[in-house]
Amino acid sequence: MHVKLHLFVQLFTLVFFPTAIWLFLQVLSLTPINEWLLKGLQTVSCMPPPVSSAVILTKAVGGNEAAAIFNSAFGSFLGIVVTPLLLLLFLGSSSSVPFTSIFSQLFMTVVVPLIIGQIVRRYIKDWLERKKPPFGAISSCVLLMIIYTTFCDTFSNPNIDLDTFSLVVIVFIIFFIQLAFMLLTFLFSTSKNSGFTPADTVAIVFCSTHKSLTLGIPMLKIVFVGYEHLSLISVPLLIYHPAQILLGSVLVPTIKSWMLSRQKALKLTRQPKIPL
């Protein structure tokens, strides 16, 4: 029921993030950077938060894990409707696929497997708890396969026009965007009148700035099916995903140290003073 936190995360990731990137790209479009990589940056900004990485990093720090789980799951469902609309708004109607078809395919890809999984789990819950199948390892292998096959699709395309300068610059831009937005969410959520606890701030920083690859790649393949520049458009998302995990992992000790010291300071200020 922490509505304020949920509103902030969803509005930041699905409204502020794509709008800010669109403004930033108006400047970058004047540079010699490959225009399709820049469009790929815009698609990254339109993606919903991921289901796993933000939750894992929030848990590693000791932040508000429940808020991270809720916003990751809720954001993924919102993304089924909102992300295609954002892609249409910022990139134009490049797709020849009707939106009813896009929504139905995304529903079959994301929602139906989740519903089936929840139904099946009710009947095999005891068996799952006894056997403890390695779902974490399976999930990682599937994600790795998605990344690998997408890379193969991208760089096996004989018509791909990707210069080294554009690729290197895009990598630096992605790290800059992540750091800038993490700092921005941190400053806002720690301001005096924000009403967020240090644990809330941790969830906000990760959930607001992370983007989903597992939902993003299938979504791009559905929205831009048959599109000749799909490979180039996918590249920034392929870079953004490992970058957010790498950057988040590096910052975990620093953020954890800040959160613990902040919580300790708040606890001391709330203790009643003993009269002299």
Side-chain angles (χ1 to χ4, degrees), residues 121 124 127-129 131-142:
R121 186 178 182 276
I124 61 171
W127 179 84
L128 288 172
E129 289 178 350
K131 297 294 183 180
K132 291 183 169 50
F135 285 130
I138 294 169
S139 175
S140 298
C141 289
V142 172

Side-chain angles (χ1 to χ4, degrees), residues 127-195:
W127 179 84
L128 288 172
E129 289 178 350
R130 283 198 314 272
K131 297 294 183 180
K132 291 183 169 50
F135 285 130
I138 294 169
S139 175
S140 298
C141 289
V142 172
L143 180 59
L144 186 62
M145 185 180 71
I146 290 171
I147 296 171
Y148 174 73
T149 54
T150 308
F151 261 108
C152 289
D153 287 344
T154 300
F155 294 102
S156 64
N157 185 351
N159 298 320
I160 189 169
D161 182 22
L162 182 58
D163 60 286
T164 306
F165 169 77
S166 294
L167 188 60
V168 172
V169 171
I170 285 294
V171 171
F172 279 103
I173 288 172
I174 284 171
F175 275 99
F176 169 75
I177 288 170
Q178 288 189 22
L179 281 170
F181 282 175
M182 288 178 81
L183 179 61
L184 187 63
T185 52
F186 176 81
L187 291 174
F188 183 87
S189 60
T190 54
S191 61
K192 189 175 291 185
N193 300 318
S194 68

Side-chain angles (χ1 to χ4, degrees), residues 199-231:
D200 293 339
T201 295
V202 174
I204 287 170
V205 167
F206 289 127
C207 290
S208 299
T209 57
H210 281 210
K211 295 293 182 177
S212 176
L213 174 73
T214 47
L215 188 59
I217 292 299
M219 193 174 290
L220 288 180
K221 287 184 175 181
I222 291 170
V223 175
F224 296 105
V225 62
Y227 198 58
E228 61 176 324
H229 297 291
L230 173 61
S231 298

